[in-house]
């Protein structure tokens, strides 16, 4: 199971978005990499369900 993290932005228009970081395991090598994205606050749960 990959670890997950969420950081919210506190100023200006950033309040509507969160920076999400998901750890993804490579199918080929088995190594983990981090994938960072800016996601609207209401879409955070959907992002981690993928």
């Amino acid at each position: 199971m990959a670890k997950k993290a969420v950081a919210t932005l506190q100023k200006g228009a950033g309040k509507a978005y969160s920076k999400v970081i998901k750890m993804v395991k490579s199918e080929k090598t088995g190594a983990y990499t981090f994938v960072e994205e800016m996601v609207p606050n209401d879409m955070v749960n959907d992002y981690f369900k993928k």
Side-chain angles (χ1 to χ4, degrees):
M1 177 79 128
K3 292 187 178 183
K4 311 169 228 187
V6 176
T8 58
L9 303 173
Q10 299 297 320
K11 296 188 178 189
K15 288 183 181 181
Y17 290 90
S18 296
K19 180 179 182 180
V20 293
I21 304 167
K22 183 165 49 171
M23 196 164 74
V24 180
K25 186 175 183 179
S26 170
E27 294 290 328
K28 257 186 181 176
T29 64
Y32 286 94
T33 59
F34 293 98
V35 177
E36 296 182 22
E37 278 190 52
M38 297 297 293
V39 179
N41 290 337
D42 56 341
M43 301 294 289
V44 171
N45 288 334
D46 294 335
Y47 176 79
F48 286 124
K49 288 182 183 177
K50 303 190 233 182

mmCIF file of all heavy atoms in Angstrom:
data_model
loop_
_atom_site.group_PDB
_atom_site.id
_atom_site.type_symbol
_atom_site.label_atom_id
_atom_site.label_comp_id
_atom_site.label_asym_id
_atom_site.label_seq_id
_atom_site.Cartn_x
_atom_site.Cartn_y
_atom_site.Cartn_z
ATOM 1 N N MET A 1 0.848 -1.170 0.000
ATOM 2 C CA MET A 1 0.000 0.000 0.000
ATOM 3 C C MET A 1 0.896 1.237 0.000
ATOM 4 O O MET A 1 1.842 1.317 0.759
ATOM 5 C CB MET A 1 -0.883 -0.037 1.233
ATOM 6 C CG MET A 1 -1.763 1.146 1.379
ATOM 7 S SD MET A 1 -3.163 0.958 0.312
ATOM 8 C CE MET A 1 -4.481 1.221 1.395
ATOM 9 N N ALA A 2 0.603 2.153 -0.853
ATOM 10 C CA ALA A 2 1.410 3.372 -0.955
ATOM 11 C C ALA A 2 0.993 4.369 0.115
ATOM 12 O O ALA A 2 -0.154 4.418 0.525
ATOM 13 C CB ALA A 2 1.239 3.986 -2.335
ATOM 14 N N LYS A 3 1.961 5.149 0.574
ATOM 15 C CA LYS A 3 1.661 6.190 1.547
ATOM 16 C C LYS A 3 1.142 7.424 0.825
ATOM 17 O O LYS A 3 1.454 7.658 -0.330
ATOM 18 C CB LYS A 3 2.907 6.543 2.345
ATOM 19 C CG LYS A 3 3.347 5.420 3.242
ATOM 20 C CD LYS A 3 4.469 5.859 4.121
ATOM 21 C CE LYS A 3 4.857 4.735 5.048
ATOM 22 N NZ LYS A 3 5.895 5.115 5.968
ATOM 23 N N LYS A 4 0.361 8.243 1.551
ATOM 24 C CA LYS A 4 -0.245 9.426 0.955
ATOM 25 C C LYS A 4 -0.052 10.615 1.878
ATOM 26 O O LYS A 4 0.018 10.459 3.090
ATOM 27 C CB LYS A 4 -1.734 9.224 0.742
ATOM 28 C CG LYS A 4 -2.102 7.947 0.071
ATOM 29 C CD LYS A 4 -3.574 7.735 0.162
ATOM 30 C CE LYS A 4 -3.829 6.338 0.633
ATOM 31 N NZ LYS A 4 -5.185 5.937 0.631
ATOM 32 N N ALA A 5 -0.003 11.814 1.307
ATOM 33 C CA ALA A 5 0.090 13.035 2.097
ATOM 34 C C ALA A 5 -0.684 14.144 1.406
ATOM 35 O O ALA A 5 -0.788 14.170 0.189
ATOM 36 C CB ALA A 5 1.550 13.445 2.254
ATOM 37 N N VAL A 6 -1.226 15.055 2.216
ATOM 38 C CA VAL A 6 -1.960 16.200 1.678
ATOM 39 C C VAL A 6 -1.501 17.442 2.417
ATOM 40 O O VAL A 6 -1.419 17.457 3.634
ATOM 41 C CB VAL A 6 -3.483 16.031 1.869
ATOM 42 C CG1 VAL A 6 -4.217 17.263 1.394
ATOM 43 C CG2 VAL A 6 -3.983 14.793 1.170
ATOM 44 N N ALA A 7 -1.216 18.503 1.675
ATOM 45 C CA ALA A 7 -0.881 19.793 2.267
ATOM 46 C C ALA A 7 -1.788 20.837 1.637
ATOM 47 O O ALA A 7 -1.882 20.932 0.417
ATOM 48 C CB ALA A 7 0.583 20.134 1.985
ATOM 49 N N THR A 8 -2.482 21.613 2.461
ATOM 50 C CA THR A 8 -3.367 22.636 1.912
ATOM 51 C C THR A 8 -2.607 23.954 1.818
ATOM 52 O O THR A 8 -1.698 24.227 2.598
ATOM 53 C CB THR A 8 -4.613 22.835 2.795
ATOM 54 O OG1 THR A 8 -4.186 23.183 4.103
ATOM 55 C CG2 THR A 8 -5.452 21.587 2.842
ATOM 56 N N LEU A 9 -2.977 24.772 0.859
ATOM 57 C CA LEU A 9 -2.382 26.090 0.687
ATOM 58 C C LEU A 9 -3.268 27.095 1.412
ATOM 59 O O LEU A 9 -4.485 27.046 1.298
ATOM 60 C CB LEU A 9 -2.264 26.413 -0.801
ATOM 61 C CG LEU A 9 -1.465 25.372 -1.592
ATOM 62 C CD1 LEU A 9 -1.546 25.663 -3.069
ATOM 63 C CD2 LEU A 9 -0.022 25.362 -1.138
ATOM 64 N N GLN A 10 -2.680 28.031 2.143
ATOM 65 C CA GLN A 10 -3.437 28.857 3.057
ATOM 66 C C GLN A 10 -3.708 30.293 2.585
ATOM 67 O O GLN A 10 -4.427 31.005 3.265
ATOM 68 C CB GLN A 10 -2.705 28.917 4.403
ATOM 69 C CG GLN A 10 -2.549 27.563 5.055
ATOM 70 C CD GLN A 10 -3.881 26.921 5.407
ATOM 71 O OE1 GLN A 10 -4.794 27.583 5.859
ATOM 72 N NE2 GLN A 10 -3.997 25.624 5.175
ATOM 73 N N LYS A 11 -3.145 30.742 1.474
ATOM 74 C CA LYS A 11 -3.314 32.147 1.091
ATOM 75 C C LYS A 11 -3.875 32.305 -0.310
ATOM 76 O O LYS A 11 -3.602 31.503 -1.187
ATOM 77 C CB LYS A 11 -1.977 32.873 1.177
ATOM 78 C CG LYS A 11 -1.439 32.941 2.588
ATOM 79 C CD LYS A 11 -0.244 33.821 2.677
ATOM 80 C CE LYS A 11 0.201 33.857 4.128
ATOM 81 N NZ LYS A 11 1.215 34.818 4.369
ATOM 82 N N GLY A 12 -4.650 33.356 -0.505
ATOM 83 C CA GLY A 12 -5.155 33.718 -1.832
ATOM 84 C C GLY A 12 -5.989 32.642 -2.486
ATOM 85 O O GLY A 12 -6.763 31.945 -1.851
ATOM 86 N N ALA A 13 -5.827 32.524 -3.797
ATOM 87 C CA ALA A 13 -6.596 31.542 -4.570
ATOM 88 C C ALA A 13 -6.154 30.118 -4.264
ATOM 89 O O ALA A 13 -6.844 29.172 -4.616
ATOM 90 C CB ALA A 13 -6.433 31.825 -6.058
ATOM 91 N N GLY A 14 -5.037 29.953 -3.599
ATOM 92 C CA GLY A 14 -4.535 28.624 -3.252
ATOM 93 C C GLY A 14 -5.408 27.886 -2.262
ATOM 94 O O GLY A 14 -5.288 26.678 -2.112
ATOM 95 N N LYS A 15 -6.310 28.598 -1.573
ATOM 96 C CA LYS A 15 -7.186 27.942 -0.593
ATOM 97 C C LYS A 15 -8.099 26.908 -1.237
ATOM 98 O O LYS A 15 -8.574 26.001 -0.580
ATOM 99 C CB LYS A 15 -8.047 28.978 0.125
ATOM 100 C CG LYS A 15 -7.278 29.831 1.085
ATOM 101 C CD LYS A 15 -8.205 30.786 1.798
ATOM 102 C CE LYS A 15 -7.440 31.662 2.748
ATOM 103 N NZ LYS A 15 -8.314 32.580 3.479
ATOM 104 N N ALA A 16 -8.340 27.007 -2.520
ATOM 105 C CA ALA A 16 -9.227 26.076 -3.214
ATOM 106 C C ALA A 16 -8.492 24.814 -3.677
ATOM 107 O O ALA A 16 -9.124 23.892 -4.173
ATOM 108 C CB ALA A 16 -9.858 26.764 -4.420
ATOM 109 N N TYR A 17 -7.161 24.764 -3.497
ATOM 110 C CA TYR A 17 -6.366 23.628 -3.978
ATOM 111 C C TYR A 17 -5.531 23.027 -2.866
ATOM 112 O O TYR A 17 -5.178 23.695 -1.903
ATOM 113 C CB TYR A 17 -5.417 24.083 -5.101
ATOM 114 C CG TYR A 17 -6.153 24.434 -6.361
ATOM 115 C CD1 TYR A 17 -6.602 25.728 -6.582
ATOM 116 C CD2 TYR A 17 -6.403 23.474 -7.323
ATOM 117 C CE1 TYR A 17 -7.289 26.056 -7.741
ATOM 118 C CE2 TYR A 17 -7.087 23.792 -8.480
ATOM 119 C CZ TYR A 17 -7.528 25.081 -8.683
ATOM 120 O OH TYR A 17 -8.212 25.389 -9.825
ATOM 121 N N SER A 18 -5.200 21.752 -3.032
ATOM 122 C CA SER A 18 -4.300 21.049 -2.122
ATOM 123 C C SER A 18 -3.190 20.416 -2.944
ATOM 124 O O SER A 18 -3.403 19.972 -4.065
ATOM 125 C CB SER A 18 -5.037 19.945 -1.373
ATOM 126 O OG SER A 18 -6.028 20.478 -0.547
ATOM 127 N N LYS A 19 -2.004 20.375 -2.358
ATOM 128 C CA LYS A 19 -0.887 19.684 -2.999
ATOM 129 C C LYS A 19 -0.891 18.260 -2.462
ATOM 130 O O LYS A 19 -0.752 18.048 -1.263
ATOM 131 C CB LYS A 19 0.427 20.368 -2.658
ATOM 132 C CG LYS A 19 1.633 19.719 -3.279
ATOM 133 C CD LYS A 19 2.887 20.485 -2.915
ATOM 134 C CE LYS A 19 4.086 19.884 -3.576
ATOM 135 N NZ LYS A 19 5.301 20.633 -3.206
ATOM 136 N N VAL A 20 -1.090 17.293 -3.331
ATOM 137 C CA VAL A 20 -1.133 15.894 -2.907
ATOM 138 C C VAL A 20 0.125 15.179 -3.383
ATOM 139 O O VAL A 20 0.627 15.432 -4.471
ATOM 140 C CB VAL A 20 -2.395 15.175 -3.426
ATOM 141 C CG1 VAL A 20 -3.634 15.742 -2.780
ATOM 142 C CG2 VAL A 20 -2.523 15.255 -4.913
ATOM 143 N N ILE A 21 0.635 14.324 -2.536
ATOM 144 C CA ILE A 21 1.844 13.559 -2.835
ATOM 145 C C ILE A 21 1.508 12.086 -2.651
ATOM 146 O O ILE A 21 1.078 11.673 -1.580
ATOM 147 C CB ILE A 21 3.000 13.957 -1.906
ATOM 148 C CG1 ILE A 21 3.255 15.461 -1.989
ATOM 149 C CG2 ILE A 21 4.253 13.159 -2.250
ATOM 150 C CD1 ILE A 21 4.153 15.987 -0.899
ATOM 151 N N LYS A 22 1.686 11.319 -3.721
ATOM 152 C CA LYS A 22 1.371 9.892 -3.671
ATOM 153 C C LYS A 22 2.632 9.107 -4.017
ATOM 154 O O LYS A 22 3.348 9.447 -4.949
ATOM 155 C CB LYS A 22 0.251 9.582 -4.665
ATOM 156 C CG LYS A 22 -0.198 8.151 -4.637
ATOM 157 C CD LYS A 22 -1.513 7.863 -5.335
ATOM 158 C CE LYS A 22 -1.677 8.408 -6.692
ATOM 159 N NZ LYS A 22 -2.879 7.915 -7.385
ATOM 160 N N MET A 23 2.910 8.058 -3.255
ATOM 161 C CA MET A 23 4.049 7.197 -3.518
ATOM 162 C C MET A 23 3.577 6.067 -4.425
ATOM 163 O O MET A 23 2.636 5.348 -4.085
ATOM 164 C CB MET A 23 4.597 6.653 -2.202
ATOM 165 C CG MET A 23 5.965 6.068 -2.314
ATOM 166 S SD MET A 23 6.758 5.856 -0.705
ATOM 167 C CE MET A 23 5.872 4.468 -0.064
ATOM 168 N N VAL A 24 4.221 5.920 -5.577
ATOM 169 C CA VAL A 24 3.801 4.947 -6.580
ATOM 170 C C VAL A 24 4.915 3.928 -6.792
ATOM 171 O O VAL A 24 6.074 4.285 -6.971
ATOM 172 C CB VAL A 24 3.474 5.660 -7.918
ATOM 173 C CG1 VAL A 24 3.040 4.663 -8.963
ATOM 174 C CG2 VAL A 24 2.423 6.721 -7.711
ATOM 175 N N LYS A 25 4.541 2.650 -6.778
ATOM 176 C CA LYS A 25 5.516 1.573 -6.981
ATOM 177 C C LYS A 25 5.600 1.220 -8.462
ATOM 178 O O LYS A 25 4.589 0.994 -9.116
ATOM 179 C CB LYS A 25 5.100 0.343 -6.180
ATOM 180 C CG LYS A 25 6.113 -0.766 -6.211
ATOM 181 C CD LYS A 25 5.695 -1.907 -5.307
ATOM 182 C CE LYS A 25 6.754 -2.988 -5.287
ATOM 183 N NZ LYS A 25 6.375 -4.095 -4.407
ATOM 184 N N SER A 26 6.814 1.143 -8.984
ATOM 185 C CA SER A 26 7.052 0.781 -10.376
ATOM 186 C C SER A 26 6.791 -0.711 -10.566
ATOM 187 O O SER A 26 7.267 -1.535 -9.784
ATOM 188 C CB SER A 26 8.485 1.113 -10.774
ATOM 189 O OG SER A 26 8.795 0.557 -12.029
ATOM 190 N N GLU A 27 6.056 -1.054 -11.621
ATOM 191 C CA GLU A 27 5.779 -2.463 -11.925
ATOM 192 C C GLU A 27 7.046 -3.209 -12.351
ATOM 193 O O GLU A 27 7.223 -4.371 -12.034
ATOM 194 C CB GLU A 27 4.735 -2.560 -13.043
ATOM 195 C CG GLU A 27 3.375 -2.036 -12.652
ATOM 196 C CD GLU A 27 2.676 -2.921 -11.634
ATOM 197 O OE1 GLU A 27 2.873 -4.150 -11.661
ATOM 198 O OE2 GLU A 27 1.951 -2.364 -10.796
ATOM 199 N N LYS A 28 7.923 -2.511 -13.084
ATOM 200 C CA LYS A 28 9.138 -3.143 -13.610
ATOM 201 C C LYS A 28 10.181 -3.413 -12.538
ATOM 202 O O LYS A 28 10.661 -4.533 -12.395
ATOM 203 C CB LYS A 28 9.769 -2.225 -14.660
ATOM 204 C CG LYS A 28 9.534 -2.630 -16.062
ATOM 205 C CD LYS A 28 10.332 -1.734 -16.980
ATOM 206 C CE LYS A 28 10.084 -2.113 -18.396
ATOM 207 N NZ LYS A 28 10.736 -1.231 -19.330
ATOM 208 N N THR A 29 10.564 -2.346 -11.808
ATOM 209 C CA THR A 29 11.697 -2.465 -10.899
ATOM 210 C C THR A 29 11.305 -2.650 -9.443
ATOM 211 O O THR A 29 12.130 -3.065 -8.634
ATOM 212 C CB THR A 29 12.582 -1.203 -10.992
ATOM 213 O OG1 THR A 29 11.810 -0.075 -10.549
ATOM 214 C CG2 THR A 29 13.075 -0.969 -12.398
ATOM 215 N N GLY A 30 10.086 -2.300 -9.100
ATOM 216 C CA GLY A 30 9.668 -2.392 -7.709
ATOM 217 C C GLY A 30 10.082 -1.186 -6.890
ATOM 218 O O GLY A 30 9.816 -1.120 -5.692
ATOM 219 N N ALA A 31 10.732 -0.198 -7.523
ATOM 220 C CA ALA A 31 11.168 1.010 -6.826
ATOM 221 C C ALA A 31 9.983 1.967 -6.667
ATOM 222 O O ALA A 31 9.054 1.965 -7.461
ATOM 223 C CB ALA A 31 12.280 1.693 -7.611
ATOM 224 N N TYR A 32 10.039 2.777 -5.625
ATOM 225 C CA TYR A 32 8.980 3.752 -5.372
ATOM 226 C C TYR A 32 9.394 5.133 -5.860
ATOM 227 O O TYR A 32 10.547 5.520 -5.739
ATOM 228 C CB TYR A 32 8.666 3.826 -3.880
ATOM 229 C CG TYR A 32 7.897 2.636 -3.376
ATOM 230 C CD1 TYR A 32 8.550 1.551 -2.812
ATOM 231 C CD2 TYR A 32 6.517 2.595 -3.461
ATOM 232 C CE1 TYR A 32 7.846 0.456 -2.344
ATOM 233 C CE2 TYR A 32 5.790 1.502 -3.011
ATOM 234 C CZ TYR A 32 6.457 0.439 -2.448
ATOM 235 O OH TYR A 32 5.759 -0.639 -1.996
ATOM 236 N N THR A 33 8.434 5.868 -6.416
ATOM 237 C CA THR A 33 8.649 7.260 -6.797
ATOM 238 C C THR A 33 7.505 8.090 -6.219
ATOM 239 O O THR A 33 6.441 7.560 -5.901
ATOM 240 C CB THR A 33 8.670 7.441 -8.328
ATOM 241 O OG1 THR A 33 7.430 6.984 -8.858
ATOM 242 C CG2 THR A 33 9.805 6.685 -8.970
ATOM 243 N N PHE A 34 7.738 9.384 -6.089
ATOM 244 C CA PHE A 34 6.723 10.279 -5.565
ATOM 245 C C PHE A 34 6.111 11.077 -6.701
ATOM 246 O O PHE A 34 6.822 11.606 -7.544
ATOM 247 C CB PHE A 34 7.327 11.230 -4.528
ATOM 248 C CG PHE A 34 7.779 10.519 -3.289
ATOM 249 C CD1 PHE A 34 9.105 10.170 -3.111
ATOM 250 C CD2 PHE A 34 6.870 10.196 -2.302
ATOM 251 C CE1 PHE A 34 9.522 9.511 -1.971
ATOM 252 C CE2 PHE A 34 7.272 9.532 -1.153
ATOM 253 C CZ PHE A 34 8.595 9.192 -0.988
ATOM 254 N N VAL A 35 4.785 11.153 -6.713
ATOM 255 C CA VAL A 35 4.051 11.911 -7.721
ATOM 256 C C VAL A 35 3.337 13.043 -6.998
ATOM 257 O O VAL A 35 2.555 12.797 -6.078
ATOM 258 C CB VAL A 35 3.031 11.016 -8.458
ATOM 259 C CG1 VAL A 35 2.233 11.822 -9.459
ATOM 260 C CG2 VAL A 35 3.735 9.854 -9.127
ATOM 261 N N GLU A 36 3.639 14.300 -7.384
ATOM 262 C CA GLU A 36 3.022 15.465 -6.761
ATOM 263 C C GLU A 36 2.080 16.129 -7.745
ATOM 264 O O GLU A 36 2.401 16.251 -8.918
ATOM 265 C CB GLU A 36 4.088 16.475 -6.350
ATOM 266 C CG GLU A 36 5.034 15.970 -5.305
ATOM 267 C CD GLU A 36 6.053 17.020 -4.900
ATOM 268 O OE1 GLU A 36 5.796 18.226 -5.103
ATOM 269 O OE2 GLU A 36 7.100 16.633 -4.385
ATOM 270 N N GLU A 37 0.911 16.558 -7.249
ATOM 271 C CA GLU A 37 -0.060 17.265 -8.087
ATOM 272 C C GLU A 37 -0.805 18.285 -7.266
ATOM 273 O O GLU A 37 -0.956 18.128 -6.060
ATOM 274 C CB GLU A 37 -1.076 16.291 -8.687
ATOM 275 C CG GLU A 37 -0.602 15.582 -9.922
ATOM 276 C CD GLU A 37 -1.744 14.838 -10.593
ATOM 277 O OE1 GLU A 37 -2.785 15.453 -10.855
ATOM 278 O OE2 GLU A 37 -1.579 13.634 -10.816
ATOM 279 N N MET A 38 -1.297 19.321 -7.934
ATOM 280 C CA MET A 38 -2.196 20.298 -7.331
ATOM 281 C C MET A 38 -3.614 19.879 -7.707
ATOM 282 O O MET A 38 -3.923 19.765 -8.887
ATOM 283 C CB MET A 38 -1.904 21.699 -7.849
ATOM 284 C CG MET A 38 -0.523 22.191 -7.500
ATOM 285 S SD MET A 38 -0.255 22.344 -5.738
ATOM 286 C CE MET A 38 -1.352 23.670 -5.343
ATOM 287 N N VAL A 39 -4.452 19.623 -6.709
ATOM 288 C CA VAL A 39 -5.793 19.092 -6.930
ATOM 289 C C VAL A 39 -6.801 19.984 -6.202
ATOM 290 O O VAL A 39 -6.536 20.401 -5.072
ATOM 291 C CB VAL A 39 -5.880 17.649 -6.390
ATOM 292 C CG1 VAL A 39 -7.252 17.071 -6.575
ATOM 293 C CG2 VAL A 39 -4.837 16.769 -7.038
ATOM 294 N N PRO A 40 -7.950 20.264 -6.813
ATOM 295 C CA PRO A 40 -8.988 21.009 -6.090
ATOM 296 C C PRO A 40 -9.385 20.251 -4.819
ATOM 297 O O PRO A 40 -9.403 19.023 -4.796
ATOM 298 C CB PRO A 40 -10.161 21.063 -7.075
ATOM 299 C CG PRO A 40 -9.539 20.861 -8.411
ATOM 300 C CD PRO A 40 -8.350 19.980 -8.184
ATOM 301 N N ASN A 41 -9.691 20.990 -3.749
ATOM 302 C CA ASN A 41 -9.986 20.376 -2.447
ATOM 303 C C ASN A 41 -11.070 19.312 -2.513
ATOM 304 O O ASN A 41 -10.976 18.300 -1.827
ATOM 305 C CB ASN A 41 -10.380 21.449 -1.436
ATOM 306 C CG ASN A 41 -9.202 22.305 -1.052
ATOM 307 O OD1 ASN A 41 -8.059 21.901 -1.176
ATOM 308 N ND2 ASN A 41 -9.484 23.507 -0.589
ATOM 309 N N ASP A 42 -12.095 19.522 -3.322
ATOM 310 C CA ASP A 42 -13.181 18.553 -3.371
ATOM 311 C C ASP A 42 -12.837 17.295 -4.162
ATOM 312 O O ASP A 42 -13.591 16.327 -4.147
ATOM 313 C CB ASP A 42 -14.458 19.194 -3.918
ATOM 314 C CG ASP A 42 -14.264 19.831 -5.279
ATOM 315 O OD1 ASP A 42 -13.117 20.104 -5.657
ATOM 316 O OD2 ASP A 42 -15.285 20.053 -5.964
ATOM 317 N N MET A 43 -11.696 17.257 -4.826
ATOM 318 C CA MET A 43 -11.294 16.099 -5.630
ATOM 319 C C MET A 43 -10.183 15.270 -4.976
ATOM 320 O O MET A 43 -9.718 14.304 -5.556
ATOM 321 C CB MET A 43 -10.802 16.567 -7.003
ATOM 322 C CG MET A 43 -11.832 17.345 -7.808
ATOM 323 S SD MET A 43 -13.223 16.344 -8.288
ATOM 324 C CE MET A 43 -12.471 15.304 -9.491
ATOM 325 N N VAL A 44 -9.762 15.618 -3.750
ATOM 326 C CA VAL A 44 -8.640 14.929 -3.105
ATOM 327 C C VAL A 44 -8.953 13.436 -2.887
ATOM 328 O O VAL A 44 -8.135 12.579 -3.210
ATOM 329 C CB VAL A 44 -8.267 15.614 -1.772
ATOM 330 C CG1 VAL A 44 -7.259 14.795 -1.003
ATOM 331 C CG2 VAL A 44 -7.702 17.008 -2.041
ATOM 332 N N ASN A 45 -10.109 13.130 -2.346
ATOM 333 C CA ASN A 45 -10.449 11.720 -2.090
ATOM 334 C C ASN A 45 -10.495 10.921 -3.382
ATOM 335 O O ASN A 45 -10.038 9.777 -3.422
ATOM 336 C CB ASN A 45 -11.770 11.617 -1.342
ATOM 337 C CG ASN A 45 -11.655 12.063 0.085
ATOM 338 O OD1 ASN A 45 -10.576 11.994 0.670
ATOM 339 N ND2 ASN A 45 -12.750 12.525 0.656
ATOM 340 N N ASP A 46 -11.033 11.493 -4.445
ATOM 341 C CA ASP A 46 -11.092 10.803 -5.730
ATOM 342 C C ASP A 46 -9.691 10.542 -6.287
ATOM 343 O O ASP A 46 -9.443 9.512 -6.901
ATOM 344 C CB ASP A 46 -11.901 11.618 -6.752
ATOM 345 C CG ASP A 46 -13.361 11.729 -6.350
ATOM 346 O OD1 ASP A 46 -13.852 10.847 -5.613
ATOM 347 O OD2 ASP A 46 -14.013 12.690 -6.793
ATOM 348 N N TYR A 47 -8.766 11.491 -6.070
ATOM 349 C CA TYR A 47 -7.401 11.339 -6.558
ATOM 350 C C TYR A 47 -6.737 10.103 -5.936
ATOM 351 O O TYR A 47 -6.075 9.331 -6.618
ATOM 352 C CB TYR A 47 -6.592 12.589 -6.232
ATOM 353 C CG TYR A 47 -5.131 12.492 -6.611
ATOM 354 C CD1 TYR A 47 -4.728 12.679 -7.920
ATOM 355 C CD2 TYR A 47 -4.160 12.187 -5.668
ATOM 356 C CE1 TYR A 47 -3.390 12.570 -8.275
ATOM 357 C CE2 TYR A 47 -2.833 12.082 -6.002
ATOM 358 C CZ TYR A 47 -2.454 12.282 -7.312
ATOM 359 O OH TYR A 47 -1.143 12.172 -7.670
ATOM 360 N N PHE A 48 -6.922 9.899 -4.648
ATOM 361 C CA PHE A 48 -6.280 8.780 -3.977
ATOM 362 C C PHE A 48 -6.963 7.453 -4.236
ATOM 363 O O PHE A 48 -6.386 6.401 -4.029
ATOM 364 C CB PHE A 48 -6.177 9.039 -2.476
ATOM 365 C CG PHE A 48 -5.113 10.042 -2.128
ATOM 366 C CD1 PHE A 48 -5.433 11.174 -1.394
ATOM 367 C CD2 PHE A 48 -3.809 9.866 -2.523
ATOM 368 C CE1 PHE A 48 -4.453 12.098 -1.066
ATOM 369 C CE2 PHE A 48 -2.818 10.776 -2.211
ATOM 370 C CZ PHE A 48 -3.143 11.902 -1.467
ATOM 371 N N LYS A 49 -8.192 7.465 -4.705
ATOM 372 C CA LYS A 49 -8.899 6.209 -5.027
ATOM 373 C C LYS A 49 -8.404 5.582 -6.314
ATOM 374 O O LYS A 49 -8.596 4.393 -6.530
ATOM 375 C CB LYS A 49 -10.397 6.454 -5.094
ATOM 376 C CG LYS A 49 -11.015 6.682 -3.739
ATOM 377 C CD LYS A 49 -12.491 6.879 -3.847
ATOM 378 C CE LYS A 49 -13.067 7.189 -2.476
ATOM 379 N NZ LYS A 49 -14.511 7.453 -2.549
ATOM 380 N N LYS A 50 -7.766 6.361 -7.198
ATOM 381 C CA LYS A 50 -7.293 5.826 -8.481
ATOM 382 C C LYS A 50 -6.193 4.824 -8.252
ATOM 383 O O LYS A 50 -5.364 4.939 -7.451
ATOM 384 C CB LYS A 50 -6.710 6.897 -9.386
ATOM 385 C CG LYS A 50 -7.549 8.022 -9.723
ATOM 386 C CD LYS A 50 -6.873 8.824 -10.804
ATOM 387 C CE LYS A 50 -6.747 10.258 -10.430
ATOM 388 N NZ LYS A 50 -6.172 11.076 -11.412
#
